[in-house]
């Protein structure tokens, strides 16, 4: 198969190479996916650049997220079948050297999920780390219906999903952004209040929106926080 990889960390033009690699086979409990799209996340860039952690393998095919079509099913797989459109995550991480910057990937069945027909492969490749991070942040402590959710960076990958999922979950959403263009994206996603943190007072705006009742919990790593009215 054709693949992009690197054998040392550094700037992309200096370390990435393109060429032939052995095509993987689906092992027990795995499916092989013919990839149509690969998602690049900050962690993928950090690993390749050397700023995230030292090289863990002699050669790496980057990128954790992706989408494509299953073309081979290993022994013991029962949930998925050949020909299915799917999205996937954790391609290159957690003990795996070879990610989605390739024509094929063999991956454990539990890391692969059917992709609805109304979503493109490019859209499917964004559902891994960004979508799942937003989901976990919002719902790991239970339902958020009736609450007010503050999403920092409402036009970023995780934040944009968080705005949409929070609205789906029945919450009101405050989103912070850094420009007028990003403000429009956050509004289109469903944010009830959009605050430009470069030009507006986020705390004052949030307090006014919640009737002076907001208590804020925040997490910069996942770009979203739940504000629970007292």
């Amino acid at each position: 198969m054709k693949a992009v990889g690197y054998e040392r960390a550094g700037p992309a033009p200096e370390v990435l190479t393109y060429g032939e690699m052995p095509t993987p086979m689906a092992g027990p409990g795995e499916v092989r996916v013919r990839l149509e799209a690969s998602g690049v996340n900050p962690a993928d860039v950090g690993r390749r650049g050397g700023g995230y952690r030292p090289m863990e393998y002699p050669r790496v095919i980057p990128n954790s997220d992706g989408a494509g079509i299953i073309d081979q099913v290993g022994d013991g797989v029962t949930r998925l079948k050949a020909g299915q459109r799917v999205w996937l995550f954790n391609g290159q991480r957690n003990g795996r050297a070879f990610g989605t910057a390739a024509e094929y990937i063999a991956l454990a069945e539990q890391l692969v999920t059917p992709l609805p027909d109304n979503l493109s492969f490019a859209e499917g490749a964004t559902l891994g780390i960004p979508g799942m991070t937003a989901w976990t942040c919002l719902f790991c402590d239970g339902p958020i219906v009736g609450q007010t959710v503050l999403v920092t960076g409402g036009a970023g990958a995780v934040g944009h999903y968080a705005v949409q999922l929070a609205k789906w979950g029945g919450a009101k959403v405050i989103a912070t952004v850094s420009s007028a263009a990003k403000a429009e994206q956050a509004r289109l996603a469903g944010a009830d209040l959009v605050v430009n943190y470069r030009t507006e007072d986020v705390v004052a705006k949030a307090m006014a929106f919640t009737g002076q009742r907001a208590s804020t919990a925040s997490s910069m790593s996942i770009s979203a926080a739940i504000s629970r009215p007292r």
Side-chain angles (χ1 to χ4, degrees):
M1 68 176 182
K2 298 290 187 182
V4 174
Y6 58 92
E7 296 180 351
R8 63 184 178 90
E14 297 178 13
V15 302
L16 291 179
T17 60
Y18 173 74
E20 293 284 345
M21 289 276 291
T23 302
M25 303 293 288
E30 293 183 334
V31 296
R32 186 175 71 185
V33 178
R34 185 178 76 248
L35 290 157
E36 300 288 342
S38 178
V40 185
N41 289 284
D44 302 316
V45 175
R47 285 171 183 267
R48 187 264 307 146
Y52 185 80
R53 62 180 59 174
M55 285 276 294
E56 300 165 290
Y57 312 99
R59 182 171 178 80
V60 170
I61 296 176
N63 301 352
S64 174
D65 298 339
I69 299 173
I70 294 175
D71 80 327
Q72 190 180 76
V73 176
D75 292 340
V77 172
T78 59
R79 186 173 56 88
L80 301 169
K81 61 184 179 180
Q84 276 188 291
R85 303 170 77 252
V86 293
W87 63 275
L88 58 94
F89 69 102
N90 276 3
Q92 199 281 293
R93 58 176 50 220
N94 297 343
R96 292 186 45 81
F98 298 153
T100 62
E103 291 182 298
Y104 294 91
I105 188 172
L107 204 59
E109 179 184 21
Q110 68 265 25
L111 301 178
V112 182
T113 301
L115 180 68
D117 290 338
N118 64 331
L119 293 183
S120 70
F121 290 116
E123 290 169 327
T126 74
L127 292 174
I129 291 174
M132 294 173 69
T133 298
W135 175 272
T136 301
C137 169
L138 290 166
F139 301 108
C140 65
D141 286 334
I144 60 173
V145 61
Q147 298 181 21
T148 298
V149 175
L150 170 65
V151 178
T152 59
V158 176
H160 202 241
Y161 272 125
V163 172
Q164 297 172 75
L165 288 170
K167 291 299 295 182
W168 174 83
K172 292 182 179 179
V173 178
I174 304 169
T176 66
V177 297
S178 60
S179 70
K182 292 179 179 180
E184 180 63 16
Q185 289 300 309
R187 291 189 187 95
L188 289 173
D192 298 283
L193 174 67
V194 180
V195 184
N196 186 329
Y197 65 83
R198 294 187 185 277
T199 60
E200 299 177 285
D201 187 327
V202 176
V203 174
K205 290 276 188 177
M207 292 295 286
F209 183 79
T210 60
Q212 307 298 317
R213 296 178 300 160
S215 62
T216 303
S218 65
S219 174
M220 293 181 66
S221 64
I222 51 181
S223 302
I226 296 178
S227 172
R228 301 179 183 272
R230 295 183 184 278

Short mmCIF file of all heavy atoms in Angstrom, two decimals, residues 150 174-178 183 187 193-203 205-206:
data_model
loop_
_atom_site.label_atom_id
_atom_site.label_comp_id
_atom_site.label_asym_id
_atom_site.label_seq_id
_atom_site.Cartn_x
_atom_site.Cartn_y
_atom_site.Cartn_z
N LEU A 150 -20.70 26.54 29.08
CA LEU A 150 -19.73 27.48 28.53
C LEU A 150 -18.72 26.70 27.70
O LEU A 150 -18.05 25.81 28.22
CB LEU A 150 -19.01 28.23 29.65
CG LEU A 150 -17.80 29.08 29.22
CD1 LEU A 150 -18.26 30.23 28.31
CD2 LEU A 150 -17.06 29.59 30.44
N ILE A 174 -23.15 29.16 25.95
CA ILE A 174 -22.34 30.35 25.78
C ILE A 174 -21.05 29.90 25.11
O ILE A 174 -20.40 28.97 25.58
CB ILE A 174 -22.00 31.01 27.12
CG1 ILE A 174 -23.27 31.34 27.90
CG2 ILE A 174 -21.16 32.27 26.92
CD1 ILE A 174 -23.02 31.75 29.35
N ALA A 175 -20.68 30.54 24.02
CA ALA A 175 -19.45 30.18 23.32
C ALA A 175 -18.53 31.39 23.25
O ALA A 175 -18.97 32.49 22.94
CB ALA A 175 -19.75 29.69 21.91
N THR A 176 -17.25 31.19 23.54
CA THR A 176 -16.27 32.25 23.37
C THR A 176 -15.51 32.04 22.06
O THR A 176 -15.26 30.91 21.65
CB THR A 176 -15.27 32.31 24.54
OG1 THR A 176 -14.46 31.13 24.54
CG2 THR A 176 -15.99 32.43 25.86
N VAL A 177 -15.18 33.13 21.42
CA VAL A 177 -14.46 33.10 20.13
C VAL A 177 -13.47 34.26 20.10
O VAL A 177 -13.46 35.11 21.00
CB VAL A 177 -15.44 33.22 18.94
CG1 VAL A 177 -16.40 32.05 18.88
CG2 VAL A 177 -16.21 34.54 19.02
N SER A 178 -12.65 34.31 19.03
CA SER A 178 -11.63 35.37 18.95
C SER A 178 -11.79 36.27 17.73
O SER A 178 -10.94 37.14 17.50
CB SER A 178 -10.24 34.74 18.93
OG SER A 178 -10.09 33.88 17.81
N ALA A 183 -17.26 33.89 15.37
CA ALA A 183 -18.54 34.12 16.04
C ALA A 183 -19.69 33.62 15.18
O ALA A 183 -20.65 33.00 15.68
CB ALA A 183 -18.71 35.60 16.35
N ARG A 187 -22.48 30.72 16.13
CA ARG A 187 -23.92 30.95 16.05
C ARG A 187 -24.60 29.92 15.15
O ARG A 187 -25.68 29.42 15.47
CB ARG A 187 -24.21 32.36 15.54
CG ARG A 187 -23.82 33.47 16.50
CD ARG A 187 -24.32 34.82 16.03
NE ARG A 187 -23.82 35.89 16.87
CZ ARG A 187 -22.73 36.60 16.62
NH1 ARG A 187 -22.04 36.37 15.50
NH2 ARG A 187 -22.34 37.54 17.45
N LEU A 193 -25.42 32.46 23.12
CA LEU A 193 -24.66 33.70 23.34
C LEU A 193 -23.24 33.47 22.87
O LEU A 193 -22.61 32.47 23.23
CB LEU A 193 -24.65 34.07 24.84
CG LEU A 193 -23.76 35.26 25.22
CD1 LEU A 193 -24.31 36.55 24.63
CD2 LEU A 193 -23.63 35.37 26.74
N VAL A 194 -22.73 34.37 22.05
CA VAL A 194 -21.35 34.30 21.56
C VAL A 194 -20.60 35.52 22.07
O VAL A 194 -21.07 36.65 21.91
CB VAL A 194 -21.30 34.24 20.02
CG1 VAL A 194 -19.86 34.17 19.55
CG2 VAL A 194 -22.09 33.03 19.52
N VAL A 195 -19.43 35.30 22.67
CA VAL A 195 -18.64 36.38 23.26
C VAL A 195 -17.25 36.37 22.65
O VAL A 195 -16.55 35.35 22.67
CB VAL A 195 -18.52 36.22 24.80
CG1 VAL A 195 -17.78 37.41 25.39
CG2 VAL A 195 -19.90 36.05 25.44
N ASN A 196 -16.85 37.50 22.10
CA ASN A 196 -15.49 37.65 21.59
C ASN A 196 -14.59 38.01 22.77
O ASN A 196 -14.64 39.13 23.28
CB ASN A 196 -15.44 38.74 20.52
CG ASN A 196 -14.07 38.84 19.86
OD1 ASN A 196 -13.04 38.58 20.46
ND2 ASN A 196 -14.08 39.26 18.59
N TYR A 197 -13.76 37.06 23.20
CA TYR A 197 -12.97 37.30 24.41
C TYR A 197 -11.86 38.32 24.21
O TYR A 197 -11.27 38.80 25.19
CB TYR A 197 -12.39 35.98 24.94
CG TYR A 197 -11.38 35.30 24.03
CD1 TYR A 197 -10.05 35.68 24.01
CD2 TYR A 197 -11.78 34.24 23.22
CE1 TYR A 197 -9.13 35.04 23.19
CE2 TYR A 197 -10.88 33.59 22.39
CZ TYR A 197 -9.55 33.99 22.39
OH TYR A 197 -8.65 33.35 21.57
N ARG A 198 -11.59 38.67 22.97
CA ARG A 198 -10.57 39.70 22.72
C ARG A 198 -11.12 41.12 22.92
O ARG A 198 -10.37 42.04 23.22
CB ARG A 198 -10.02 39.57 21.30
CG ARG A 198 -9.26 38.29 21.05
CD ARG A 198 -8.61 38.32 19.67
NE ARG A 198 -7.96 37.06 19.33
CZ ARG A 198 -6.73 36.73 19.73
NH1 ARG A 198 -6.03 37.56 20.48
NH2 ARG A 198 -6.21 35.57 19.37
N THR A 199 -12.42 41.27 22.75
CA THR A 199 -13.00 42.61 22.81
C THR A 199 -14.11 42.76 23.85
O THR A 199 -14.56 43.88 24.09
CB THR A 199 -13.58 42.99 21.43
OG1 THR A 199 -14.60 42.05 21.06
CG2 THR A 199 -12.49 42.99 20.36
N GLU A 200 -14.56 41.66 24.45
CA GLU A 200 -15.67 41.72 25.40
C GLU A 200 -15.28 41.05 26.72
O GLU A 200 -14.37 40.21 26.77
CB GLU A 200 -16.90 41.03 24.80
CG GLU A 200 -17.40 41.66 23.52
CD GLU A 200 -18.58 40.90 22.94
OE1 GLU A 200 -18.34 39.81 22.37
OE2 GLU A 200 -19.72 41.38 23.05
N ASP A 201 -16.00 41.40 27.77
CA ASP A 201 -15.78 40.84 29.10
C ASP A 201 -16.56 39.54 29.21
O ASP A 201 -17.79 39.56 29.36
CB ASP A 201 -16.23 41.84 30.16
CG ASP A 201 -15.89 41.41 31.58
OD1 ASP A 201 -15.90 40.20 31.85
OD2 ASP A 201 -15.63 42.29 32.41
N VAL A 202 -15.87 38.40 29.15
CA VAL A 202 -16.54 37.10 29.15
C VAL A 202 -17.31 36.88 30.45
O VAL A 202 -18.46 36.43 30.44
CB VAL A 202 -15.51 35.96 28.94
CG1 VAL A 202 -16.20 34.60 29.05
CG2 VAL A 202 -14.82 36.11 27.60
N VAL A 203 -16.68 37.19 31.58
CA VAL A 203 -17.33 36.97 32.87
C VAL A 203 -18.60 37.80 33.00
O VAL A 203 -19.66 37.30 33.39
CB VAL A 203 -16.36 37.29 34.03
CG1 VAL A 203 -17.09 37.21 35.38
CG2 VAL A 203 -15.19 36.33 34.01
N LYS A 205 -20.47 39.08 30.61
CA LYS A 205 -21.48 38.60 29.67
C LYS A 205 -22.12 37.31 30.16
O LYS A 205 -23.34 37.13 30.07
CB LYS A 205 -20.84 38.38 28.30
CG LYS A 205 -20.43 39.65 27.56
CD LYS A 205 -21.61 40.23 26.83
CE LYS A 205 -21.19 41.39 25.94
NZ LYS A 205 -22.32 41.93 25.15
N ALA A 206 -21.30 36.38 30.67
CA ALA A 206 -21.82 35.11 31.15
C ALA A 206 -22.71 35.31 32.37
O ALA A 206 -23.78 34.69 32.50
CB ALA A 206 -20.68 34.16 31.48
#
